[in-house]
Amino acid sequence: MTEPSHLTAIREYCDTVAAAYVRLVPEPAELDPVSRAMLAAFAELASPLGPVADLGCGPGEVTAHLAALGVPVLGVDMSPTMVELARAAYPELRFTVGSMTALEIGSGELGGILAYFSTHHTPPEWLPTVFAEFHRTLAPGGRLMLAGHVGDGEHLSPTRAYGDHPVVTDDNGSYLSRLADDLEAVQLATAIDVLGLARTVLDDPNSPYAEVRFAGVRLAECLTDALRVAESRGMRVPVPEIEDTVEAGEPQ
């Protein structure tokens, strides 16, 4: 069976950045008080129900944090390199290579699942499969702690990440990525239309002040959108095609 492209991309990327991730990401003890309190509450609620799986455990810091809170915990990660680092740092704990889409855990075995900033790599169309595995492996009344990123209309596609390594994505892109691409294309197309209309006003020396000011305000709005798109797409806005052709013999 062929592995989905996003799983291959995630594994290769995490293998590449693993050492830099350990160096750059704060340990659980350095988290804010609310985050530490939520982890402590999760540990207290889940541990009486059975073992806990830290899915997408990375190099194992959060797994070890839960163990220190008295939780019988195991770590699972797609990246063999991450798992090697976790085993080296915390040899007393159990870590295994695996995917959230097909957990090698029996049905109803877990008292809790921690997915701590680990599901945002998954394309939305695959999330039902992941959540079905969560449901299958959790015992009745089992606890799930799901942590992730939030934003207000933001879509970031950085080209570099931990340790200045290039970001790897799957070839097809996720639904949210495609949706953001469509919205950003509309913003850029609108900016082009506004620019064309504004040129008409600005090129006319007799244009009333109110029209000039209105054009300036709209241009400022479009420039703001364009800059937001440029940042969101990792400063990879394509160079626009120049419609004006250069006549033969003209200087270029």
Side-chain angles (χ1 to χ4, degrees):
M1 181 177 178
T2 303
E3 181 178 74
S5 61
H6 75 276
L7 296 182
T8 304
I10 293 169
R11 178 185 296 107
E12 292 177 352
Y13 174 67
C14 290
D15 281 345
T16 300
V17 305
Y21 184 96
V22 173
R23 186 174 70 254
L24 297 173
V25 174
E27 295 184 0
E30 300 173 20
L31 293 172
D32 61 278
V34 173
S35 296
R36 296 198 308 272
M38 291 182 67
L39 286 169
F42 169 74
E44 183 176 345
L45 292 169
S47 57
L49 303 175
V52 169
D54 179 10
L55 302 182
C57 66
E61 290 101 333
V62 178
T63 317
H65 182 74
L66 291 178
L69 294 174
V71 178
V73 62
L74 64 103
V76 181
D77 200 277
M78 279 201 61
S79 164
T81 303
M82 288 285 195
V83 169
E84 288 177 7
L85 291 172
R87 288 171 175 167
Y90 310 103
E92 73 281 6
L93 300 179
R94 178 187 168 196
F95 296 95
T96 184
V97 176
S99 168
M100 295 181 191
T101 60
L103 294 168
E104 295 182 2
I105 297 172
S107 298
E109 287 189 2
L110 299 176
I113 287 176
L114 175 65
Y116 202 68
F117 294 94
S118 55
T119 58
H120 59 272
H121 299 294
T122 305
E125 58 267 28
W126 277 89
L127 287 175
T129 300
V130 170
F131 295 148
E133 277 294 270
F134 290 179
H135 182 266
R136 180 186 66 80
T137 55
L138 279 171
R143 306 291 180 165
L144 167 66
M145 180 172 172
L146 181 67
H149 298 285
V150 298
D152 184 13
E154 293 180 297
H155 171 71
L156 302 179
S157 290
T159 56
R160 319 293 292 187
Y162 303 109
D164 201 37
H165 292 290
V167 171
V168 176
T169 58
D170 64 272
D171 294 334
N172 299 321
S174 69
Y175 168 77
L176 289 181
S177 292
R178 297 192 298 270
L179 178 61
D181 289 341
D182 292 341
L183 292 175
E184 290 166 358
V186 170
Q187 288 180 311
L188 293 177
T190 300
I192 292 173
D193 290 341
V194 171
L195 180 59
L197 295 172
R199 277 176 173 163
T200 301
V201 174
L202 298 176
D203 288 345
D204 184 356
N206 297 318
S207 294
Y209 168 77
E211 291 186 8
V212 174
R213 186 178 187 282
F214 180 82
V217 171
R218 298 288 84 80
L219 286 172
E221 291 174 351
C222 290
L223 177 59
T224 300
D225 285 341
L227 291 174
R228 185 181 297 116
V229 170
E231 180 180 11
S232 173
R233 301 311 299 164
M235 304 307 290
R236 292 186 283 111
V237 176
V239 178
E241 294 182 3
I242 300 176
E243 296 182 357
D244 297 332
T245 58
V246 179
E247 298 293 338
E250 290 185 0
Q252 300 185 26

